[in-house]
Amino acid sequence: MQFTLTSPAFDNRSDVPLRYTCSGEDISPALDWQGAPDGTRSFALICSDPDAPRGTFFHWAVYDIPADRSSLPEALEKSVTLPGGLSQAENGFGRPGYGGPCPPKGHGLHHYHFRLHALDTPRLVLADTSRCEDVEAAARRHSLGMAELVGLFER
């Protein structure tokens, strides 16, 4: 089975609904996955926008997601720690948790890459003040495989 990441809110390479952006409610979308590689001990999710004017902008990182999970609910709390042992990093807006798509007005279409890494470790050893970039670097070192969902948005 292929490792896949999906959302009930939007399809791959389609528009992110307004409610999940800074122009709407700015809440995180629900996500589902299946087909994790054998040996997966946890997951880490990173959302980034490579089309940002100053280079890749990070919108969200959730890590230490237990291997027995196969989804994240909509509207996760915007805090460093979450029930179930999950952690969230500081996003590019300087806050923990999800910060939705918010490209500059008139800048054109942006691509939001939600990447879920299946990891060979039960926890990533990171500081409580970790940024999304730190989570991505640590996840890459432990990644057994990655599933991706791309959302589109422009203002």
Side-chain angles (χ1 to χ4, degrees):
M1 177 184 292
Q2 185 177 359
F3 187 29
T4 59
L5 177 64
T6 60
S7 176
F10 62 95
D11 293 327
N12 190 40
R13 299 211 163 272
S14 70
D15 292 338
V16 175
L18 201 60
R19 70 181 294 179
Y20 305 107
T21 74
C22 69
S23 298
E25 297 172 54
D26 200 25
I27 60 172
S28 60
L31 297 168
D32 302 298
W33 57 89
Q34 63 180 2
D38 289 342
T40 298
R41 298 184 65 199
S42 70
F43 297 98
L45 176 81
I46 299 102
C47 176
S48 62
D49 170 14
D51 303 317
R54 293 191 178 110
T56 300
F57 188 91
F58 288 87
H59 288 266
W60 193 24
V62 186
Y63 59 102
D64 295 344
I65 303 168
D68 62 355
R69 298 238 354 213
S70 61
S71 66
L72 290 173
E74 180 181 78
L76 281 181
E77 183 181 335
K78 296 181 182 193
S79 63
V80 173
T81 59
L82 296 169
L86 282 70
S87 296
Q88 295 185 107
E90 181 181 294
N91 60 41
F93 300 108
R95 301 183 303 264
Y98 181 79
C102 197
K105 289 182 180 175
H107 195 259
L109 187 65
H110 283 228
H111 298 74
Y112 296 87
H113 295 260
F114 292 79
R115 293 184 173 118
L116 182 71
H117 290 269
L119 306 178
D120 66 2
T121 183
R123 294 185 46 82
L124 292 177
V125 179
L126 296 166
D128 287 345
T129 57
S130 294
R131 299 177 327 166
C132 293
E133 296 93 318
D134 303 324
V135 175
E136 182 179 57
R140 285 184 182 197
R141 288 192 298 272
H142 291 279
S143 186
L144 297 170
M146 184 192 66
E148 183 176 52
L149 173 67
V150 179
L152 310 173
F153 186 67
E154 69 179 301
R155 295 194 307 154

